[in-house]
PDB file of all heavy atoms in Angstrom:
ATOM      1  N   THR J 241     -54.156  15.746  33.417  1.00 90.00           N
ATOM      2  CA  THR J 241     -53.644  14.382  33.487  1.00 90.00           C
ATOM      3  C   THR J 241     -54.801  13.422  33.707  1.00 90.00           C
ATOM      4  O   THR J 241     -55.901  13.825  34.119  1.00 90.00           O
ATOM      5  CB  THR J 241     -52.630  14.194  34.632  1.00 90.00           C
ATOM      6  OG1 THR J 241     -53.308  14.351  35.896  1.00 90.00           O
ATOM      7  CG2 THR J 241     -51.496  15.212  34.535  1.00 90.00           C
ATOM      8  N   ARG J 242     -54.553  12.131  33.455  1.00 93.00           N
ATOM      9  CA  ARG J 242     -55.585  11.120  33.653  1.00 93.00           C
ATOM     10  C   ARG J 242     -55.999  11.039  35.127  1.00 93.00           C
ATOM     11  O   ARG J 242     -57.187  10.989  35.452  1.00 93.00           O
ATOM     12  CB  ARG J 242     -55.077   9.766  33.174  1.00 93.00           C
ATOM     13  CG  ARG J 242     -56.094   8.633  33.315  1.00 93.00           C
ATOM     14  CD  ARG J 242     -55.492   7.311  32.876  1.00 93.00           C
ATOM     15  NE  ARG J 242     -54.275   7.004  33.612  1.00 93.00           N
ATOM     16  CZ  ARG J 242     -54.261   6.500  34.864  1.00 93.00           C
ATOM     17  NH1 ARG J 242     -55.411   6.268  35.492  1.00 93.00           N
ATOM     18  NH2 ARG J 242     -53.123   6.238  35.463  1.00 93.00           N
ATOM     19  N   VAL J 243     -55.021  11.032  36.013  1.00 94.00           N
ATOM     20  CA  VAL J 243     -55.312  10.953  37.453  1.00 94.00           C
ATOM     21  C   VAL J 243     -56.083  12.180  37.903  1.00 94.00           C
ATOM     22  O   VAL J 243     -57.059  12.083  38.660  1.00 94.00           O
ATOM     23  CB  VAL J 243     -54.001  10.799  38.255  1.00 94.00           C
ATOM     24  CG1 VAL J 243     -54.277  10.905  39.753  1.00 94.00           C
ATOM     25  CG2 VAL J 243     -53.341   9.468  37.940  1.00 94.00           C
ATOM     26  N   GLY J 244     -55.661  13.349  37.439  1.00 95.00           N
ATOM     27  CA  GLY J 244     -56.371  14.567  37.794  1.00 95.00           C
ATOM     28  C   GLY J 244     -57.810  14.553  37.309  1.00 95.00           C
ATOM     29  O   GLY J 244     -58.720  14.999  38.011  1.00 95.00           O
ATOM     30  N   GLY J 245     -58.037  14.029  36.110  1.00 97.00           N
ATOM     31  CA  GLY J 245     -59.393  13.931  35.587  1.00 97.00           C
ATOM     32  C   GLY J 245     -60.273  13.017  36.418  1.00 97.00           C
ATOM     33  O   GLY J 245     -61.453  13.299  36.651  1.00 97.00           O
ATOM     34  N   ALA J 246     -59.691  11.907  36.885  1.00 97.00           N
ATOM     35  CA  ALA J 246     -60.450  10.973  37.714  1.00 97.00           C
ATOM     36  C   ALA J 246     -60.850  11.608  39.038  1.00 97.00           C
ATOM     37  O   ALA J 246     -62.004  11.507  39.479  1.00 97.00           O
ATOM     38  CB  ALA J 246     -59.614   9.719  37.959  1.00 97.00           C
ATOM     39  N   GLU J 247     -59.908  12.299  39.663  1.00 97.00           N
ATOM     40  CA  GLU J 247     -60.194  12.927  40.956  1.00 97.00           C
ATOM     41  C   GLU J 247     -61.212  14.046  40.819  1.00 97.00           C
ATOM     42  O   GLU J 247     -62.116  14.191  41.657  1.00 97.00           O
ATOM     43  CB  GLU J 247     -58.895  13.452  41.567  1.00 97.00           C
ATOM     44  CG  GLU J 247     -57.914  12.343  41.953  1.00 97.00           C
ATOM     45  CD  GLU J 247     -56.569  12.887  42.390  1.00 97.00           C
ATOM     46  OE1 GLU J 247     -56.326  14.108  42.192  1.00 97.00           O
ATOM     47  OE2 GLU J 247     -55.752  12.113  42.928  1.00 97.00           O
ATOM     48  N   ALA J 248     -61.081  14.851  39.760  1.00 98.00           N
ATOM     49  CA  ALA J 248     -62.022  15.950  39.556  1.00 98.00           C
ATOM     50  C   ALA J 248     -63.433  15.438  39.273  1.00 98.00           C
ATOM     51  O   ALA J 248     -64.419  16.064  39.679  1.00 98.00           O
ATOM     52  CB  ALA J 248     -61.542  16.833  38.408  1.00 98.00           C
ATOM     53  N   THR J 249     -63.546  14.302  38.604  1.00 98.00           N
ATOM     54  CA  THR J 249     -64.863  13.731  38.329  1.00 98.00           C
ATOM     55  C   THR J 249     -65.548  13.297  39.615  1.00 98.00           C
ATOM     56  O   THR J 249     -66.779  13.457  39.761  1.00 98.00           O
ATOM     57  CB  THR J 249     -64.739  12.547  37.360  1.00 98.00           C
ATOM     58  OG1 THR J 249     -64.081  12.985  36.168  1.00 98.00           O
ATOM     59  CG2 THR J 249     -66.107  11.985  36.998  1.00 98.00           C
ATOM     60  N   ARG J 250     -64.782  12.774  40.557  1.00 98.00           N
ATOM     61  CA  ARG J 250     -65.373  12.426  41.852  1.00 98.00           C
ATOM     62  C   ARG J 250     -65.938  13.672  42.535  1.00 98.00           C
ATOM     63  O   ARG J 250     -67.039  13.633  43.119  1.00 98.00           O
ATOM     64  CB  ARG J 250     -64.333  11.737  42.738  1.00 98.00           C
ATOM     65  CG  ARG J 250     -64.075  10.289  42.362  1.00 98.00           C
ATOM     66  CD  ARG J 250     -63.248   9.566  43.415  1.00 98.00           C
ATOM     67  NE  ARG J 250     -61.840   9.954  43.350  1.00 98.00           N
ATOM     68  CZ  ARG J 250     -60.936   9.358  42.579  1.00 98.00           C
ATOM     69  NH1 ARG J 250     -61.310   8.353  41.799  1.00 98.00           N
ATOM     70  NH2 ARG J 250     -59.677   9.744  42.595  1.00 98.00           N
ATOM     71  N   ARG J 251     -65.203  14.770  42.466  1.00 97.00           N
ATOM     72  CA  ARG J 251     -65.684  16.020  43.079  1.00 97.00           C
ATOM     73  C   ARG J 251     -66.915  16.543  42.342  1.00 97.00           C
ATOM     74  O   ARG J 251     -67.852  17.058  42.965  1.00 97.00           O
ATOM     75  CB  ARG J 251     -64.581  17.074  43.070  1.00 97.00           C
ATOM     76  CG  ARG J 251     -63.345  16.686  43.877  1.00 97.00           C
ATOM     77  CD  ARG J 251     -62.461  17.897  44.174  1.00 97.00           C
ATOM     78  NE  ARG J 251     -62.050  18.622  42.989  1.00 97.00           N
ATOM     79  CZ  ARG J 251     -60.971  18.324  42.267  1.00 97.00           C
ATOM     80  NH1 ARG J 251     -60.213  17.287  42.606  1.00 97.00           N
ATOM     81  NH2 ARG J 251     -60.648  19.047  41.202  1.00 97.00           N
ATOM     82  N   LEU J 252     -66.913  16.387  41.028  1.00 97.00           N
ATOM     83  CA  LEU J 252     -68.062  16.852  40.244  1.00 97.00           C
ATOM     84  C   LEU J 252     -69.316  16.047  40.577  1.00 97.00           C
ATOM     85  O   LEU J 252     -70.419  16.601  40.675  1.00 97.00           O
ATOM     86  CB  LEU J 252     -67.744  16.761  38.753  1.00 97.00           C
ATOM     87  CG  LEU J 252     -68.777  17.351  37.791  1.00 97.00           C
ATOM     88  CD1 LEU J 252     -68.944  18.853  38.032  1.00 97.00           C
ATOM     89  CD2 LEU J 252     -68.364  17.097  36.341  1.00 97.00           C
ATOM     90  N   LEU J 253     -69.173  14.750  40.779  1.00 97.00           N
ATOM     91  CA  LEU J 253     -70.315  13.906  41.152  1.00 97.00           C
ATOM     92  C   LEU J 253     -70.870  14.298  42.521  1.00 97.00           C
ATOM     93  O   LEU J 253     -72.075  14.200  42.764  1.00 97.00           O
ATOM     94  CB  LEU J 253     -69.913  12.433  41.141  1.00 97.00           C
ATOM     95  CG  LEU J 253     -69.770  11.785  39.760  1.00 97.00           C
ATOM     96  CD1 LEU J 253     -69.156  10.391  39.888  1.00 97.00           C
ATOM     97  CD2 LEU J 253     -71.113  11.720  39.048  1.00 97.00           C
ATOM     98  N   ASP J 254     -69.984  14.763  43.406  1.00 95.00           N
ATOM     99  CA  ASP J 254     -70.456  15.242  44.710  1.00 95.00           C
ATOM    100  C   ASP J 254     -71.309  16.497  44.538  1.00 95.00           C
ATOM    101  O   ASP J 254     -72.301  16.685  45.262  1.00 95.00           O
ATOM    102  CB  ASP J 254     -69.263  15.557  45.624  1.00 95.00           C
ATOM    103  CG  ASP J 254     -68.544  14.309  46.092  1.00 95.00           C
ATOM    104  OD1 ASP J 254     -69.149  13.220  46.045  1.00 95.00           O
ATOM    105  OD2 ASP J 254     -67.356  14.420  46.483  1.00 95.00           O
ATOM    106  N   GLN J 255     -70.931  17.350  43.588  1.00 94.00           N
ATOM    107  CA  GLN J 255     -71.704  18.573  43.334  1.00 94.00           C
ATOM    108  C   GLN J 255     -73.026  18.266  42.647  1.00 94.00           C
ATOM    109  O   GLN J 255     -74.053  18.888  42.943  1.00 94.00           O
ATOM    110  CB  GLN J 255     -70.912  19.525  42.420  1.00 94.00           C
ATOM    111  CG  GLN J 255     -69.672  20.148  42.985  1.00 94.00           C
ATOM    112  CD  GLN J 255     -69.070  21.114  41.972  1.00 94.00           C
ATOM    113  OE1 GLN J 255     -69.710  22.081  41.540  1.00 94.00           O
ATOM    114  NE2 GLN J 255     -67.836  20.856  41.567  1.00 94.00           N
ATOM    115  N   LEU J 256     -72.990  17.329  41.703  1.00 94.00           N
ATOM    116  CA  LEU J 256     -74.154  17.062  40.844  1.00 94.00           C
ATOM    117  C   LEU J 256     -74.350  15.550  40.724  1.00 94.00           C
ATOM    118  O   LEU J 256     -73.962  14.933  39.727  1.00 94.00           O
ATOM    119  CB  LEU J 256     -73.926  17.692  39.465  1.00 94.00           C
ATOM    120  CG  LEU J 256     -75.120  17.772  38.511  1.00 94.00           C
ATOM    121  CD1 LEU J 256     -76.201  18.679  39.086  1.00 94.00           C
ATOM    122  CD2 LEU J 256     -74.676  18.286  37.149  1.00 94.00           C
ATOM    123  N   PRO J 257     -74.947  14.928  41.734  1.00 95.00           N
ATOM    124  CA  PRO J 257     -75.081  13.466  41.731  1.00 95.00           C
ATOM    125  C   PRO J 257     -75.861  12.914  40.542  1.00 95.00           C
ATOM    126  O   PRO J 257     -75.620  11.778  40.118  1.00 95.00           O
ATOM    127  CB  PRO J 257     -75.820  13.179  43.051  1.00 95.00           C
ATOM    128  CG  PRO J 257     -75.536  14.367  43.923  1.00 95.00           C
ATOM    129  CD  PRO J 257     -75.466  15.529  42.974  1.00 95.00           C
ATOM    130  N   ASP J 258     -76.807  13.695  40.011  1.00 95.00           N
ATOM    131  CA  ASP J 258     -77.593  13.209  38.867  1.00 95.00           C
ATOM    132  C   ASP J 258     -77.015  13.693  37.534  1.00 95.00           C
ATOM    133  O   ASP J 258     -77.736  13.807  36.531  1.00 95.00           O
ATOM    134  CB  ASP J 258     -79.053  13.627  39.006  1.00 95.00           C
ATOM    135  CG  ASP J 258     -79.231  15.147  39.097  1.00 95.00           C
ATOM    136  OD1 ASP J 258     -78.210  15.850  39.283  1.00 95.00           O
ATOM    137  OD2 ASP J 258     -80.376  15.621  38.991  1.00 95.00           O
ATOM    138  N   LEU J 259     -75.731  13.931  37.514  1.00 96.00           N
ATOM    139  CA  LEU J 259     -75.011  14.333  36.306  1.00 96.00           C
ATOM    140  C   LEU J 259     -75.367  13.413  35.134  1.00 96.00           C
ATOM    141  O   LEU J 259     -75.340  12.193  35.269  1.00 96.00           O
ATOM    142  CB  LEU J 259     -73.505  14.252  36.599  1.00 96.00           C
ATOM    143  CG  LEU J 259     -72.514  14.624  35.505  1.00 96.00           C
ATOM    144  CD1 LEU J 259     -72.398  16.139  35.398  1.00 96.00           C
ATOM    145  CD2 LEU J 259     -71.138  14.032  35.839  1.00 96.00           C
ATOM    146  N   ASP J 260     -75.662  14.011  33.966  1.00 97.00           N
ATOM    147  CA  ASP J 260     -75.920  13.156  32.793  1.00 97.00           C
ATOM    148  C   ASP J 260     -75.085  13.542  31.563  1.00 97.00           C
ATOM    149  O   ASP J 260     -75.219  12.936  30.506  1.00 97.00           O
ATOM    150  CB  ASP J 260     -77.411  13.131  32.440  1.00 97.00           C
ATOM    151  CG  ASP J 260     -77.947  14.474  31.957  1.00 97.00           C
ATOM    152  OD1 ASP J 260     -77.167  15.445  31.848  1.00 97.00           O
ATOM    153  OD2 ASP J 260     -79.162  14.561  31.685  1.00 97.00           O
ATOM    154  N   GLY J 261     -74.212  14.539  31.706  1.00 98.00           N
ATOM    155  CA  GLY J 261     -73.326  14.917  30.614  1.00 98.00           C
ATOM    156  C   GLY J 261     -72.086  15.614  31.154  1.00 98.00           C
ATOM    157  O   GLY J 261     -72.178  16.364  32.131  1.00 98.00           O
ATOM    158  N   VAL J 262     -70.927  15.356  30.541  1.00 98.00           N
ATOM    159  CA  VAL J 262     -69.680  15.973  30.991  1.00 98.00           C
ATOM    160  C   VAL J 262     -68.858  16.424  29.785  1.00 98.00           C
ATOM    161  O   VAL J 262     -68.627  15.637  28.858  1.00 98.00           O
ATOM    162  CB  VAL J 262     -68.808  15.005  31.827  1.00 98.00           C
ATOM    163  CG1 VAL J 262     -67.623  15.763  32.446  1.00 98.00           C
ATOM    164  CG2 VAL J 262     -69.615  14.314  32.901  1.00 98.00           C
ATOM    165  N   PHE J 263     -68.433  17.671  29.831  1.00 98.00           N
ATOM    166  CA  PHE J 263     -67.414  18.153  28.893  1.00 98.00           C
ATOM    167  C   PHE J 263     -66.087  18.148  29.634  1.00 98.00           C
ATOM    168  O   PHE J 263     -65.936  18.826  30.644  1.00 98.00           O
ATOM    169  CB  PHE J 263     -67.735  19.558  28.397  1.00 98.00           C
ATOM    170  CG  PHE J 263     -66.567  20.232  27.725  1.00 98.00           C
ATOM    171  CD1 PHE J 263     -65.881  19.601  26.692  1.00 98.00           C
ATOM    172  CD2 PHE J 263     -66.127  21.487  28.144  1.00 98.00           C
ATOM    173  CE1 PHE J 263     -64.782  20.211  26.083  1.00 98.00           C
ATOM    174  CE2 PHE J 263     -65.046  22.100  27.527  1.00 98.00           C
ATOM    175  CZ  PHE J 263     -64.372  21.461  26.506  1.00 98.00           C
ATOM    176  N   VAL J 264     -65.139  17.370  29.129  1.00 98.00           N
ATOM    177  CA  VAL J 264     -63.825  17.256  29.753  1.00 98.00           C
ATOM    178  C   VAL J 264     -62.816  17.957  28.846  1.00 98.00           C
ATOM    179  O   VAL J 264     -62.730  17.661  27.652  1.00 98.00           O
ATOM    180  CB  VAL J 264     -63.419  15.786  29.970  1.00 98.00           C
ATOM    181  CG1 VAL J 264     -62.154  15.708  30.820  1.00 98.00           C
ATOM    182  CG2 VAL J 264     -64.552  15.022  30.649  1.00 98.00           C
ATOM    183  N   ALA J 265     -62.024  18.867  29.421  1.00 97.00           N
ATOM    184  CA  ALA J 265     -61.200  19.773  28.627  1.00 97.00           C
ATOM    185  C   ALA J 265     -59.924  19.166  28.080  1.00 97.00           C
ATOM    186  O   ALA J 265     -59.105  19.885  27.509  1.00 97.00           O
ATOM    187  CB  ALA J 265     -60.869  21.023  29.439  1.00 97.00           C
ATOM    188  N   SER J 266     -59.734  17.851  28.211  1.00 95.00           N
ATOM    189  CA  SER J 266     -58.645  17.161  27.503  1.00 95.00           C
ATOM    190  C   SER J 266     -58.959  15.668  27.478  1.00 95.00           C
ATOM    191  O   SER J 266     -59.650  15.144  28.366  1.00 95.00           O
ATOM    192  CB  SER J 266     -57.279  17.395  28.158  1.00 95.00           C
ATOM    193  OG  SER J 266     -57.047  16.512  29.229  1.00 95.00           O
TER     194      SER J 266
END
Side-chain angles (χ1 to χ4, degrees):
T241 66
R242 181 183 56 79
V243 172
E247 294 173 349
T249 304
R250 283 191 284 272
R251 298 196 304 273
L252 187 62
L253 284 171
D254 289 340
Q255 292 183 59
L256 192 64
D258 59 348
L259 180 79
D260 66 2
V262 188
F263 165 52
V264 189
S266 84

